[in-house]
């Protein structure tokens, strides 16, 4: 992640968090997963279909930003995040950024303006 993206995510002012969080392919086609989980100590990606561990995410910022390359994966897949929190508790979560935006820009603008979404 670029430093500007990290700062904007930490301050909850990133204009398009879906562009940097979730699963993305790099220019070489390798898949990466990025997550923002304040209070997490460890994050591991699991394949939803098989339940198997795919790989860990490394902490890239102390405020809870994590990322990791998914080894041996070239196609997007559904995943869950196994999170170990600072208090030792562990949970498996769905990543809301794995889905992508559900409303087109016009729909988001209508919500912002307070007009009915069509």
């Amino acid at each position: 992640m670029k430093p500007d993206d990290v700062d904007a995510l930490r301050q909850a002012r990133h204009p398009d968090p879906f562009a940097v969080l979730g699963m993305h392919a790099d220019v070489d086609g390798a898949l990466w997963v990025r997550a923002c989980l304040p209070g997490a100590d460890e994050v591991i990606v699991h394949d939803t279909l098989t339940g198997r561990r795919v790989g860990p995410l490394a902490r890239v910022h102390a405020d809870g930003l994590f990322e990791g390359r998914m080894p041996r994966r070239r196609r997007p897949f559904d995943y869950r995040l196994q999170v170990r929190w600072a208090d030792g508790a562990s949970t498996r979560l769905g990543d809301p950024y794995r889905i992508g935006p559900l409303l087109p820009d016009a729909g988001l603008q209508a919500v912002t303006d307070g007009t009915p979404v069509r």
Side-chain angles (χ1 to χ4, degrees):
M1 266 188 285
K2 297 176 189 171
D4 289 346
D5 287 324
V6 171
D7 288 341
L9 288 168
R10 289 180 46 243
Q11 297 170 21
R13 61 174 180 79
H14 198 288
D16 185 8
F18 284 96
V20 291
L21 296 175
M23 183 179 292
H24 298 277
D26 65 17
V27 295
D28 297 322
L31 291 177
W32 289 77
V33 173
R34 294 185 190 102
C36 183
L37 295 160
D41 276 347
E42 178 181 68
V43 182
I44 299 170
V45 175
H46 288 262
D47 185 305
T48 301
L49 184 64
T50 66
R52 291 186 178 157
R53 174 187 166 130
V54 178
L57 302 185
R59 183 190 314 267
V60 296
H61 195 280
D63 285 349
L65 292 172
F66 293 83
E67 74 175 353
R69 184 175 179 273
M70 299 297 98
R72 298 175 303 281
R73 298 289 180 122
R74 299 303 248 179
R75 287 186 287 195
F77 60 95
D78 191 31
Y79 64 92
R80 298 294 183 268
L81 302 173
Q82 184 72 40
V83 182
R84 186 172 46 82
W85 302 100
D87 66 1
S90 182
T91 54
R92 191 169 291 191
L93 306 170
D95 180 3
Y97 293 97
R98 79 185 187 284
I99 299 168
L102 299 176
L103 285 177
D105 287 342
L108 291 173
Q109 187 61 50
V111 170
T112 300
D113 295 343
T115 59
V117 179
R118 296 169 201 225

